[in-house]
């Protein structure tokens, strides 16, 4: 499906824009061993799908100190797993510099994929233990590349359990999915 990205500006209005025009984020705070500064960034991510497959949305919230940036987008025909992966990927790709990232997700698929499955997939040339091709390989490879240069600490939270930032990105991902669905209906 067609990929669309969006951001919520200072006015709070939800606007769609092409993914190529989305803004980048990144600032400095901590120090690397070589003496260079790196950002301490919190990244909260979520994906949503209206039907699976169906129209979907992803969202990421980047926070550095008091500064925040919301990113979101979606696709017309996708799966929830792809949207969960795109939320993480787009959040990491928005960072302009090497960062120390505290990444929080409610996706067991992303957590197990990054912490348990990916090293074995790579060793088996992107094949599962059963010998089948890895699903969403394009996004797993993109995530692997997006992690380069960042010190990433992964945290899992239960979805819909009152975690403020997780609830926030859940709402943004759902809004993005609805916007993509509604745009597709208008073009219909």
């Amino acid at each position: 499906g067609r990929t669309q990205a969006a951001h919520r500006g200072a006015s709070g209005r939800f606007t769609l824009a092409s993914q190529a025009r989305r803004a980048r984020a990144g600032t400095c705070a901590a120090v690397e061993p070589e003496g260079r500064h790196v950002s301490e960034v919190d990244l909260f991510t979520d994906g949503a799908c209206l039907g699976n497959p169906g129209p979907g949305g992803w969202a990421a919230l980047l926070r550095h100190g008091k500064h925040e940036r919301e990113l979101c987008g979606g696709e017309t025909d996708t799966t929830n797993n792809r949207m969960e992966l795109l939320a993480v990927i787009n959040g990491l790709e928005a960072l302009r510099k090497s960062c120390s990232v505290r990444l929080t997700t409610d996706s067991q698929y992303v957590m197990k994929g990054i912490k348990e499955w990916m090293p074995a997939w790579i060793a088996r040339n992107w094949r599962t233990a059963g010998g089948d091709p890895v699903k969403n390989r394009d996004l797993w490879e993109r995530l692997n590349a997006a992690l380069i240069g960042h010190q990433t600490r992964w945290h899992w939270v239960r979805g819909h359990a009152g975690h403020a930032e997780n609830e926030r990105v859940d709402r943004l991902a759902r809004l993005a999915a609805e916007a993509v669905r509604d745009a597709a209906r208008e073009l219909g």
Side-chain angles (χ1 to χ4, degrees), residues 11-152:
S11 69
R13 201 174 105 230
F14 185 77
T15 58
L16 290 176
S18 73
Q19 198 166 21
R21 292 190 328 232
R22 72 183 161 82
R24 299 290 218 205
T27 53
C28 291
V31 179
E32 284 185 329
E34 298 90 23
R36 294 179 304 192
H37 290 290
V38 295
S39 301
E40 288 282 342
V41 176
D42 288 300
L43 173 57
F44 305 92
T45 65
D46 202 10
C49 213
L50 309 176
N52 198 19
W58 57 264
L61 169 63
L62 290 160
R63 179 181 294 147
H64 170 70
K66 295 179 182 179
H67 303 282
E68 292 184 341
R69 170 160 248 159
E70 294 174 341
L71 303 171
C72 53
E75 294 182 358
T76 55
D77 186 28
T78 190
T79 64
N80 192 68
N81 285 344
R82 289 187 69 80
M83 294 296 95
E84 293 283 0
L85 284 165
L86 280 170
V88 175
I89 291 164
N90 283 292
L92 290 169
E93 288 179 348
L95 300 170
R96 285 188 266 164
K97 301 176 183 178
S98 292
C99 295
S100 176
V101 181
R102 286 180 301 265
L103 197 150
T104 303
T105 180
D106 65 3
S107 172
Q108 286 285 344
Y109 176 68
V110 171
M111 286 295 292
K112 287 184 178 183
I114 202 72
K115 294 193 140 288
E116 298 174 26
W117 305 330
M118 192 170 1
W121 290 338
I122 292 169
R124 290 191 296 264
N125 196 26
W126 295 97
R127 299 248 173 222
T128 66
D132 297 321
V134 169
K135 291 181 182 176
N136 302 315
R137 175 182 174 175
D138 60 325
L139 297 181
W140 286 111
E141 287 181 318
R142 191 169 153 198
L143 175 55
N144 196 36
L147 288 166
I148 295 171
H150 301 298
Q151 302 163 10
T152 308

